[in-house]
Amino acid sequence: MEDQKKHEQFMRLAIALSEKNVSTAEGGPFGAVIVKDGKVIAQSANQVTLTNDPTAHAEVSAIRIACKELNTYDLSGCIIYSSCEPCPMCLGAIYWARISRIFYANTKADAASVGFDDQFIYEELDRPPTERNVAMVQLLREEALTAFANWQRSSSKITY
């Protein structure tokens, strides 16, 4: 029961961030909190319109803060609390950051009902690259493979 109360406390913080963002007209109705070992490491609301950065979703912004705070790109052992089910970009960032668990409040259907519909992205990802709405053209692959070969041989690489 204690864990449930803690999870609810952190989720309420994410929800409060989303509500404050709306009331201050600083961005969309989204908030995220990252917790490690029961302590808040990072928190952020959506900052897309505030920063003119389409990647500044609450989850991505919180991940950036947490990585800086912990001085690592690996957030294993962390939990993210998001006021809404993460979009495809944020979900990808959560996986790349190796966050261990996601709690979310609103669903992607709830977000779609107020104008934040990501269904087209899910549909695009299911299409072959040549059939997507944003043209994808492969160019200079052989030249680009050199960087991968150099990476494979490098003794100073940091794998992630």
Side-chain angles (χ1 to χ4, degrees), residues 1-10 81:
M1 189 61 165
E2 185 61 34
D3 275 355
Q4 182 68 21
K5 288 184 189 265
K6 280 295 210 185
H7 293 312
E8 289 175 1
Q9 174 188 351
F10 295 131
Y81 297 84

Side-chain angles (χ1 to χ4, degrees), residues 10-32:
F10 295 131
M11 182 58 75
R12 285 191 177 101
L13 179 54
I15 292 168
L17 289 166
S18 71
E19 291 173 346
K20 181 181 178 207
N21 222 36
V22 173
S23 69
T24 59
E26 291 186 355
F30 305 97

Side-chain angles (χ1 to χ4, degrees), residues 9-145:
Q9 174 188 351
F10 295 131
M11 182 58 75
R12 285 191 177 101
L13 179 54
I15 292 168
L17 289 166
S18 71
E19 291 173 346
K20 181 181 178 207
N21 222 36
V22 173
S23 69
T24 59
E26 291 186 355
F30 305 97
V33 174
I34 297 178
V35 172
K36 184 167 188 173
D37 300 327
K39 293 182 180 178
V40 173
I41 302 302
Q43 56 185 312
S44 184
N46 176 287
Q47 299 177 10
V48 171
T49 58
L50 184 67
T51 62
N52 291 320
D53 178 354
T55 68
H57 289 199
E59 297 91 336
V60 171
S61 297
I63 288 169
R64 290 172 180 159
I65 294 166
C67 289
K68 188 173 184 177
E69 179 69 25
L70 296 174
N71 195 33
T72 184
Y73 53 83
D74 185 343
L75 298 179
S76 296
C78 290
I79 299 172
I80 191 165
Y81 297 84
S82 178
S83 66
C84 188
E85 184 176 356
C87 75
M89 176 187 68
C90 292
L91 188 58
I94 289 166
Y95 274 92
W96 279 115
R98 294 182 177 91
I99 290 175
S100 302
R101 198 165 183 196
I102 304 167
F103 286 87
Y104 66 93
N106 292 318
T107 67
K108 62 184 178 182
D110 296 329
S113 74
V114 296
F116 297 95
D117 190 354
D118 297 327
Q119 186 58 38
F120 75 97
I121 297 173
Y122 292 104
E123 292 168 3
E124 283 287 294
L125 292 173
D126 283 339
R127 292 184 175 141
T130 56
E131 294 177 19
R132 293 182 182 158
N133 287 316
V134 175
M136 294 183 66
V137 180
Q138 189 174 23
L139 185 65
L140 299 177
R141 177 177 179 259
E142 293 302 317
E143 290 181 33
L145 284 172

